[in-house]
Amino acid sequence: MIIEEKKDNYLGKQCQLVIGPAGSGKSTYCRTIMSHCQSIKRSVHLVNLDPAAENFEYEPTIDIRDLITLDDVMEELDYGPNGGLVYCMEFLINNINWLEEELNNYEDDYLIFDCPGQIELYTHFPIMKSIVQTLQKYDYNVCCVYLLDSQFIEDTSKFFSGVLNAMSAMIQLEIPHINVLTKVDLLDKKLQRSRDFERYLEVDSSLLTEDINNRMRPRYQHLNEAIVQLIDEYNMVNFLPLDITDEESIAYVLAQVDNSIQYGEDLEVKEREDFTEVDDDDY
Ligand SMILES: Nc1nc2c(ncn2[C@@H]2O[C@H](COP(=O)(O)OP(=O)(O)OP(=O)(O)O)[C@@H](O)[C@H]2O)c(=O)[nH]1
Ligand SMILES: [Mg+2]
């Protein structure tokens, strides 16, 4: 069954790019998904792209610190932590063959990339985009998993800033994009069951506008409405809640990510090109 082999091979080349602001829970998410995958016997590899990372519960299979570390850059070039981080990431891009060689060793596996938290890497530096392009060159289906700390729903203006950053990353990367609201276990259980919480997961734009306009001076009304419209138009209104203490919640997030990797636009093109002999029903 040549077609089956092709399909298996293709589905094996998947990866999640886990990004989000500093402290949003990226490393914890990666650890949680690794542990969940271990329990469901799925083979996954952790890729560490954070040159400042310290300890990992699961040893990364590919680790940027084998190429460069933030400590070395800060010491040798006398850079501060932010400049040093950008230097490390640019160094990675200038030596992308290092990553390509590492990828070649694991080309049939499911990779989970734990990325650094500097927001500028996702909003205006082309670094993550270069990494995505490298992965795509090697036929990986890449999904961006954008994490936002659930404390961002404490007030609507904070939520706006979180959503706009997520949107900026989505526009830059141009890959399937899943928003995840992290640290839900820290939220009050009553709040989790309330309509207030739901409207942040599947945002009701009219309620958002009403809420923000009630809090801010009238002169900002038009701006608020324009932002909400933008959020609406880019379909950035969905967040998956992740409670790392609840196996079902973890499984649900993973299923959504898997789905977006398999059924993203890239796959549709590949399906047509590579799997034309297989019935649509098989997918
Ligand atoms: N209770 C709870 N704590 C969490 C969760 N996710 C992360 N944390 C805590 O939040 C802090 C930051 O988590 P990390 O996973 O290191 O966040 P990160 O995004 O990798 O941080 P950077 O790599 O520094 O950008 C740690 O103290 C974690 O223990 C969660 O789902 N629940
Ligand atoms: Mg981290």
Side-chain angles (χ1 to χ4, degrees), residues 16-19 24-38 44-50 56-58 60 110-116 145 147 182 242 244 250 253-254:
Q16 301 187 22
L17 204 59
V18 181
I19 67 176
S24 54
K26 298 176 292 297
S27 302
T28 307
Y29 168 90
C30 292
R31 194 179 65 225
T32 306
I33 296 291
M34 295 286 294
S35 153
H36 180 76
C37 285
Q38 212 168 49
V44 286
H45 290 278
L46 180 63
V47 180
N48 172 42
L49 283 192
D50 185 353
F56 286 98
E57 193 174 313
Y58 294 94
Y110 193 115
L111 307 177
I112 302 178
F113 281 68
D114 187 359
C115 298
V145 181
L147 306 189
T182 56
L242 174 64
I244 58 166
I250 300 165
V253 169
L254 181 62

Side-chain angles (χ1 to χ4, degrees), residues 75-115:
E75 201 178 305
E76 284 169 30
L77 301 174
D78 209 15
Y79 279 11
N82 275 325
L85 189 277
V86 172
Y87 180 91
C88 288
M89 299 312 281
E90 282 178 343
F91 187 84
L92 169 65
I93 299 305
N94 292 333
N95 294 276
I96 202 71
N97 58 331
W98 171 82
L99 181 62
E100 291 176 347
E101 276 164 26
E102 295 282 318
L103 287 176
N104 276 337
N105 293 332
Y106 306 102
E107 64 180 16
D108 289 337
D109 285 304
Y110 193 115
L111 307 177
I112 302 178
F113 281 68
D114 187 359
C115 298

Side-chain angles (χ1 to χ4, degrees), residues 5-161:
E5 276 174 23
K6 259 190 170 182
K7 182 181 157 192
D8 284 349
N9 182 38
Y10 179 63
L11 291 177
K13 295 185 100 179
Q14 294 171 317
C15 83
Q16 301 187 22
L17 204 59
V18 181
I19 67 176
S24 54
K26 298 176 292 297
S27 302
T28 307
Y29 168 90
C30 292
R31 194 179 65 225
T32 306
I33 296 291
M34 295 286 294
S35 153
H36 180 76
C37 285
Q38 212 168 49
S39 72
I40 58 170
K41 308 221 172 338
R42 182 194 291 192
S43 162
V44 286
H45 290 278
L46 180 63
V47 180
N48 172 42
L49 283 192
D50 185 353
E54 286 177 356
N55 301 318
F56 286 98
E57 193 174 313
Y58 294 94
E59 197 55 37
T61 306
I62 301 174
D63 193 341
I64 189 175
R65 294 173 304 173
D66 293 337
L67 178 72
I68 191 164
T69 69
L70 181 62
D71 280 349
D72 287 349
V73 169
M74 286 173 66
E75 201 178 305
E76 284 169 30
L77 301 174
D78 209 15
Y79 279 11
N82 275 325
L85 189 277
V86 172
Y87 180 91
C88 288
M89 299 312 281
E90 282 178 343
F91 187 84
L92 169 65
I93 299 305
N94 292 333
N95 294 276
I96 202 71
N97 58 331
W98 171 82
L99 181 62
E100 291 176 347
E101 276 164 26
E102 295 282 318
L103 287 176
N104 276 337
N105 293 332
Y106 306 102
E107 64 180 16
D108 289 337
D109 285 304
Y110 193 115
L111 307 177
I112 302 178
F113 281 68
D114 187 359
C115 298
Q118 269 75 357
I119 198 79
E120 55 270 40
L121 289 178
Y122 315 128
T123 53
H124 58 275
F125 282 111
I127 292 169
M128 300 314 287
K129 176 83 181 170
S130 286
I131 292 169
V132 166
Q133 283 167 343
T134 301
L135 291 164
Q136 287 172 334
K137 192 168 108 189
Y138 286 90
D139 264 348
Y140 278 89
N141 275 333
V142 193
C143 173
C144 165
V145 181
Y146 192 96
L147 306 189
L148 193 67
D149 191 320
S150 53
Q151 59 146 322
F152 273 75
I153 66 170
E154 271 170 11
D155 93 58
T156 313
S157 50
K158 207 161 156 182
F159 184 68
F160 271 18
S161 90

Side-chain angles (χ1 to χ4, degrees), residues 156 159-160 163 167 195-196 198-214 221 223-238:
T156 313
F159 184 68
F160 271 18
V163 170
M167 194 188 311
R195 275 184 56 78
D196 251 9
E198 263 173 41
R199 76 180 165 152
Y200 284 104
L201 302 180
E202 263 182 69
V203 175
D204 179 332
S205 45
S206 58
L207 276 178
L208 255 193
T209 316
E210 194 184 306
D211 187 51
I212 191 103
N213 281 343
N214 283 340
Q221 270 191 12
L223 178 63
N224 291 335
E225 281 156 19
I227 294 175
V228 172
Q229 195 185 347
L230 190 71
I231 293 171
D232 235 4
E233 278 172 11
Y234 272 100
N235 205 16
M236 283 298 292
V237 283
N238 290 342

Side-chain angles (χ1 to χ4, degrees), residues 242-272:
L242 174 64
D243 179 345
I244 58 166
T245 63
D246 174 3
E247 245 0 83
E248 258 182 47
S249 165
I250 300 165
Y252 184 71
V253 169
L254 181 62
Q256 298 301 312
V257 173
D258 284 348
N259 198 37
S260 92
I261 300 173
Q262 286 176 18
Y263 300 106
E265 276 177 32
D266 279 358
L267 184 66
E268 279 170 30
V269 174
K270 286 239 168 224
E271 273 179 10
R272 269 182 250 121

